[in-house]
Amino acid sequence: MNEIEIRHTLQEDRQYLVKWLQEPGILRWFPMHDDREIDDAVNLWMGYISQGAVFTALYKGVPCGMSILYLQQYKKIAHHALFAIIVDKDYRQKGIGTCLIQEMIKRGKEQFHLEILHLEVYEGNPAILLYEKLGFVRYGNQKHFIKDQGTYLGKIFMQKNL
């Protein structure tokens, strides 16, 4: 995995996140619907750069994935964080998602003093297998969470104690 490098995300990486979210079919796994909503989500991701909570994966020097820790601002819940991750379709199955999640776990514990990482993933998402492999366990679900062109998908909640 020495071909993979994880670094803090830069504002210039915004273009990659937009590109990856605009890939055909990817929005099946994200709650956004159109370019306006993608832009709003990207603005939110980029807002966490100043906290050091957004990470970009490089494969042989090429940006190929990104993850974010949605850090909680309130002290009583600052011990846990939701995260999101995306990997360019051309770079999947190369260990990039694993490296990004491992970096979030490491930074979460060491830098942000997190005790729990949690995620929300839609039914049928192939990334569920990766999350389970990395020790995330299911703790709930919400049926009919997404309604896209008349089809419903449920949301699965997963977490890992750090």
Side-chain angles (χ1 to χ4, degrees):
M1 292 210 197
N2 55 0
E3 298 174 317
I4 302 171
E5 173 193 349
I6 308 295
R7 63 161 167 78
H8 282 103
T9 297
L10 308 171
Q11 285 293 337
E12 310 75 271
D13 295 334
R14 174 189 183 89
Q15 64 182 320
Y16 300 108
L17 182 56
V18 170
K19 175 185 159 241
W20 300 328
L21 287 169
Q22 290 177 335
E23 288 176 356
I26 195 70
L27 290 187
R28 175 174 173 79
W29 310 121
F30 290 89
M32 292 80 75
H33 173 72
D34 57 23
D35 286 342
R36 185 195 60 77
E37 291 179 3
I38 288 172
D39 190 54
D40 186 52
V42 170
N43 287 338
L44 182 63
W45 277 52
M46 296 294 111
Y48 280 81
I49 288 175
S50 63
Q51 296 177 55
V54 189
F55 307 95
T56 296
L58 307 170
Y59 185 79
K60 297 182 179 178
V62 177
C64 58
M66 194 177 293
S67 62
I68 179 173
L69 289 168
Y70 291 102
L71 300 172
Q72 300 294 331
Q73 302 303 313
Y74 301 109
K75 188 173 181 79
K76 291 181 182 179
I77 58 175
H79 64 284
H80 65 86
L82 176 71
F83 80 87
I85 184 171
I86 188 167
V87 176
D88 184 311
K89 67 178 173 31
D90 295 331
Y91 291 89
R92 294 183 189 142
Q93 303 299 312
K94 296 183 184 305
I96 292 155
T98 298
C99 287
L100 279 166
I101 293 170
Q102 289 172 336
E103 185 70 18
M104 285 189 297
I105 290 169
K106 179 180 179 229
R107 298 289 183 125
K109 286 194 310 195
E110 294 174 6
Q111 183 178 348
F112 301 112
H113 310 290
L114 298 175
E115 298 171 20
I116 300 169
L117 274 187
H118 60 99
L119 63 100
E120 301 170 353
V121 61
Y122 304 131
E123 293 173 338
N125 188 321
I128 293 171
L129 296 173
L130 170 63
Y131 304 141
E132 291 173 337
K133 181 180 104 177
L134 293 173
F136 288 83
V137 294
R138 297 174 191 221
Y139 69 90
N141 65 355
Q142 182 177 357
K143 295 184 182 289
H144 296 137
F145 181 74
I146 294 278
K147 183 177 181 183
D148 187 20
Q149 299 176 6
T151 302
Y152 290 97
L153 283 178
K155 177 170 58 172
I156 299 167
F157 300 93
M158 300 180 81
Q159 69 180 21
K160 179 179 177 76
N161 292 329
L162 306 182

